[in-house]
Amino acid sequence: MRHGRLLIMNGPNLNLLGTRQPELYGTDTLADVERIAGGRAEELGYKADFFQSNSEGALIDRLHEARGSTDGVVLNPAAFTHTSVALRDALLAAELPVVEVHISNVHKREEFRHRSYVSDIAEAVIVGAGIRGYVYGIECLDRALQLHERRSAV
Ligand code: CA2
């Protein structure tokens, strides 16, 4: 069993999850996401750290902190997905595998949500699976880390 560390990070307004737009985001709260994702991470042998912020700078600072102390990131950048070159640069600087998660299917929504500054640097992108997407994200990250370990061992 591995003993790694994962960062589950959420961007702006996701602290309000479960309070409105249930047709898009369901009725579970961010605390439910943390409980379910934390449980899956633990089953796979990881300790999960959680971070949510409405501030771009705080998210970037947390990624800088994660460099060297975290094995991978599951990230729902929320609206910053579609706007933030700075967040993209921070992900590149962190040099960590990242899985991008969106609760809703952004491709069924407005055109401006189809663009992501993260997708092409992510190991995987999960959209439209509801909050299960965070669990799938952890599983993808685990696979990517195992493949990486196997490659480094040879
Ligand atoms: O589908 C997703 O997970 C999004 O990342 C959610 C973002 C949106 O800007 C992205 O395009 C897609 C919005 C997060 C707002 O979350 C709330 C959820 C419920 C109530 C209030 C805010």
Side-chain angles (χ1 to χ4, degrees), residues 37-89:
R40 185 63 183 131
E42 204 175 301
E43 279 169 8
L44 292 172
Y46 297 95
K47 156 99 175 61
D49 297 309
F50 296 96
F51 186 74
Q52 187 278 331
S53 180
N54 297 323
S55 145
E56 193 173 10
L59 293 165
I60 291 168
D61 287 342
R62 185 65 186 85
L63 284 170
H64 292 176
E65 226 179 83
R67 188 190 150 94
S69 61
T70 299
D71 295 298
V73 184
V74 173
L75 173 63
N76 184 343
F80 292 145
T81 309
H82 320 299
T83 62
S84 181
V85 176
L87 192 63
R88 175 195 176 86
D89 287 346

Side-chain angles (χ1 to χ4, degrees), residues 12-14 16-20 25 76 78-79 82 102-104 106 109 113:
N13 299 308
L14 284 164
L16 299 178
L17 197 63
T19 64
R20 49 184 285 271
Y25 301 115
N76 184 343
H82 320 299
H102 296 286
I103 298 167
S104 65
V106 284
R109 301 180 64 190
R113 294 187 204 275

